[in-house]
Amino acid sequence: MNGIEKIAGAISEVTYAHGEKIYGTFKAEAGAGIEVIYSQGCPLALRKDGSDKASPEMLADAIAAAKSADVVIYVGGISPQLEGEEMKVNYDGFSGGDRTRIELPAQQTELLKVLAATGKPVVFVNCSGSAIAMPWEAKNLPAILQAWYPGEQGGRAVAEVLFGDANPAGRLPVTF
């Protein structure tokens, strides 16, 4: 966006829409009768130097939230800031914008194992721009929703699917 503003200068006004985050939309769609609790749990990926590792408090907060819930909805995957053409990405599992491993980042799988160990059903909403191998998740979680990079109304779309207001039927040439 800054590049467009530099080119256009004072001759135009640049506006753009920010998409809705899944949590905010989900909370709004749930309505007053359903309590929605948020906890980050862990970052999507870890820096190669380990400086952004989830703190024990983050993990404890995620476990407490899961234990108090009827259903756990985990939104994870990867983001466009991690994968893309020739990007300078300094995260484990990524090199120059390319992925070096096809699996879901390990800290997410570990968090999902901890959440599943609470005994609560865990729904995994996977956001990604490419295929991700998730063998443990496919074998152990009752539901996985592939949301890709959900876009401006993606939060609403995810909420509609999870609340049963929409039935997705994607047919794509990609195998997970």
Side-chain angles (χ1 to χ4, degrees):
M1 209 34 111
N2 291 338
I4 294 172
E5 289 173 340
K6 285 179 184 175
I7 294 169
I11 62 172
S12 67
E13 180 180 335
V14 179
T15 60
Y16 58 98
H18 288 285
E20 297 180 19
K21 295 189 183 280
I22 291 175
Y23 164 72
T25 305
F26 193 82
K27 190 170 183 169
E29 291 289 318
I34 299 175
E35 181 182 9
V36 179
I37 303 166
Y38 170 81
S39 176
Q40 182 179 357
C42 72
L44 292 180
L46 295 178
R47 294 185 192 281
K48 290 182 179 174
D49 66 6
S51 63
D52 62 345
K53 186 176 179 181
S55 69
E57 294 80 18
M58 286 174 69
L59 183 58
D61 187 46
I63 293 168
K67 286 181 176 179
S68 71
D70 295 321
V71 175
V72 176
I73 300 170
Y74 176 81
V75 180
I78 56 178
S79 78
Q81 287 73 37
L82 295 172
E83 67 174 346
E85 298 292 323
E86 299 185 30
M87 297 169 50
K88 293 183 180 182
V89 178
N90 192 26
Y91 288 88
D92 191 33
F94 299 87
S95 176
D98 293 327
R99 291 178 33 217
T100 58
R101 290 190 297 273
I102 195 168
E103 294 83 16
L104 184 68
Q107 73 280 2
Q108 291 187 55
T109 296
E110 292 308 311
L111 178 59
L112 283 163
K113 288 177 181 179
V114 169
L115 296 174
T118 65
K120 304 298 175 119
V122 178
V123 176
F124 175 32
V125 178
N126 183 51
C127 300
S128 66
S130 57
I132 293 183
M134 48 186 104
W136 183 90
E137 294 79 1
K139 188 175 184 177
N140 294 284
L141 300 179
I144 299 173
L145 174 63
Q146 176 61 38
W148 299 101
Y149 293 140
E152 190 172 325
Q153 291 295 314
R156 184 170 317 287
V158 167
E160 288 176 357
V161 169
L162 294 180
F163 282 122
D165 298 328
N167 186 8
R171 290 164 183 85
L172 301 170
V174 178
T175 301
F176 283 68

